[in-house]
Each structure stands twice: as C-alpha cells, then as structure tokens.
Amino acid sequence: MTDKAFQDYYPEELSHCYGCGRHNTHGLQLKSYWDGEETVALFQPEAKHTAVPGFVYGGLIASLIDCHSTGTAAAAAYRAQGRAMDTMPAIRFVTASLHVDYLAPTPIAAQLEVRGVVVEVTPKKVIIESTIMADGKICAKGKVVAVHLPESMLKVMKGEK
Amino acid sequence: MTDKAFQDYYPEELSHCYGCGRHNTHGLQLKSYWDGEETVALFQPEAKHTAVPGFVYGGLIASLIDCHSTGTAAAAAYRAQGRAMDTMPAIRFVTASLHVDYLAPTPIAAQLEVRGVVVEVTPKKVIIESTIMADGKICAKGKVVAVHLPESMLKVMKGEK
C-alpha cells in the first residue's frame, strides 16, 4: 500500500467532507490507498453507527463506498495523466450516481475493508466498483460514477455566486 | 400529514438506527409521514454534514433516502394489510439495494424535503422511489428495494447466534 492516503492530497479547502475530509473533526475521516491495481480503505464502525443492534446502518456503508470511490477516481485520474497526486492542478471528484447492493448484514464489531476497482476512466468521468468485507465475507457491493467537481460548486465556495 | 412518524412506531429494540432511530442520540432521527399517497420527511443538515463548503455530502443524501424508504416500506406494508402501524406483529424493513442519482449540488443551509412514492408492494419486498428537494429544486433521486428484516439479524440481536 502507498504511504499517504488519497484524501491527504486533497487541497485544504476541499478537505471538509464528513466522509473523508481530514479537517472534519466530526466525520469518518476515511483514508484510501493504492494496493496494486486496486484501492483499499479500512474503517472501524462505532456503536453509534447501528442499524439494528449488532449491525451497521446502510447509510454508513453507502458513505464509505461513496468517499472511497471518489478518492479512487481522483487517484485514477492522476495515474491516467501520469501525474503524482501532489501536482497541480488538483483533481477532485464528486458523485454523479451511487448504487449499493446490500448482500449480507454488516457486523458492527468488525473492521470493514473497502476495496475499489477502476472500471473506466474518461476525461469526464471515472467508474468505480467497490466491495465491503467484514470477517472475510462480502457484505455489500457498490458502483459509483464520479465526475469532476463542477465549477458552480467552486464559485459558491469562493463566494462568487 | 399524519401525526406520528413511521419511525415512532418501530419496536423499542429496533429503534437504534443512526439514520432514523429515536433512541440514537448521536443520529439523524429522521421522521417520515404519509402525505396522501406519498410520504414526506424534512431534514435540516448541520455544518458537519459538509461535502465541500456550502454543500451536503453524498452519504447524508444516501442515508436520508435509505431511512425514508425503509420507513415508507413499513408503512406501505401495513397499509397493504389493512393494519394500523401500532398493531402486532411489527413490520420492519431493511435495504436490499439503494440507487441514488445526484442531480445537482445540495445546499447545506436549506431544509431538505424527502418525498417517497411506493412503486411496488409484494409479500417479500417494497420498492420506493424518492426525491430530495432543496429551495424548490430536486437535488437527488433515489430508488430503494426494501425487504423484511431477516430472521438472522433478529437472532443475533437476541443473542441466539
């Protein structure tokens, strides 16, 4: 695995996401890495992340797949351009669509392993397929279509709109 | 709109969900109601629910659609059986699959309106289509296939497995 997480390369002003922003002290602070051609993130749920006692709620699973996939999309786009992740201009993706199949109840006590596979990289979008495993069993499968952060969001952030 | 939320009818031991459990003090405590043939829930995001500054992170949108849909599924199943939601046996759904299309960035300052439409009710599953609106604009569309809470989860909860 690489040393530094994808999310640790995000620009300062784009690092407040509840799912994966290093500056969101209330958030999940997910960290994703290359592991060969795949990407991986580990996450330990907390008691509050309950669906029914003993199991993780579906929104957490969706969040992990979402943020791991947009992180993977950024990393894949840098790779496709032959650039390191600390080079400018910064690449940051958001989610156009998210699909999750919940295959088995996800135990809350286990550390979760999120694995991503890059299915497609084009100049406009990246498609990622992910799995979430707990105790060696696949609990959920996800598919995300990620697109570049739109200019309209940057303008609002900069107070231009 | 009905007086009491669907989630307020959930049995005590099934009311700890981070997204919609009334006993989860850290959670979102989403409340869903009938509004004629549709269902509705209102939610005010907090600052911590940021994606990039000014906008809601995708995982929150997914969570709201997820919990509103499983709540709607339970309410629809009671209706299909001609039963009030305070009658036994209790009906509680979980998510088999979740799909979200993020159509526009969702502003974090606005109150969000989640609307659900019951597409299909069978003895085994309920299909719900939902939208999330902010400032009068649809920001996301979702589709959930909800199934009855499996026996295996109840057994773990009861310490039988």
Side-chain angles (χ1 to χ4, degrees), chain B residues 1-10 19-20 29-35 38-42 64-73 75 85 114-116:
Chain B
M1 274 169 39
T2 40
D3 287 342
K4 196 170 162 182
F6 304 156
Q7 293 86 359
D8 289 333
Y9 290 105
Y10 289 171
C20 61
Q29 301 209 352
L30 190 73
K31 305 282 187 195
S32 306
Y33 305 87
W34 283 116
D35 182 20
E38 295 187 4
T39 61
V40 65
L42 301 175
L64 297 178
I65 288 174
D66 186 13
C67 283
H68 182 66
S69 298
T70 49
T72 297
M85 289 192 77
V114 193
R115 288 212 154 253

Side-chain angles (χ1 to χ4, degrees), chain B residues 76-100:
Chain B
Y78 278 106
R79 267 201 179 177
Q81 296 178 20
R83 288 170 53 198
M85 289 192 77
D86 56 357
T87 59
M88 292 292 130
I91 298 175
R92 182 79 159 86
F93 278 80
V94 294
T95 308
S97 75
L98 165 72
H99 185 91
V100 182

Side-chain angles (χ1 to χ4, degrees), chain A residues 101-120:
Chain A
D101 289 314
Y102 296 89
L103 304 177
T106 304
I108 200 161
Q111 186 182 59
L112 306 182
E113 182 177 315
V114 193
R115 287 210 156 256
V117 174
V118 181
V119 175
E120 188 180 338

Side-chain angles (χ1 to χ4, degrees), chain A residues 13-14 16-18 24 48 50-53 55 57-59 62-63 66 95-102 105 153 156-157, chain B residues 13-14 16-18 24 48 50-53 55 57-59 62-63 66 95-102 105 153 156-157:
Chain A
E13 68 275 19
L14 300 179
H16 300 277
C17 176
Y18 186 89
N24 192 324
K48 67 182 178 185
T50 294
V52 299
F55 301 100
Y57 83 108
S63 295
D66 185 14
T95 308
S97 74
L98 165 72
H99 186 90
V100 182
D101 289 314
Y102 296 89
M153 291 177 90
V156 170
M157 281 175 55
Chain B
E13 68 276 19
L14 299 179
H16 300 278
C17 176
Y18 186 88
N24 192 323
K48 68 181 178 186
T50 293
V52 299
F55 301 99
Y57 83 108
S63 295
D66 186 13
T95 308
S97 75
L98 165 72
H99 185 91
V100 182
D101 289 314
Y102 296 89
M153 291 176 89
V156 170
M157 281 176 55

Side-chain angles (χ1 to χ4, degrees), chain A residues 7-8 21 32 40 64 75 93 104 112 114 151 156:
Chain A
Q7 292 87 359
D8 289 335
S32 306
V40 66
L64 297 178
F93 279 79
L112 306 182
V114 193
E151 278 295 320
V156 170

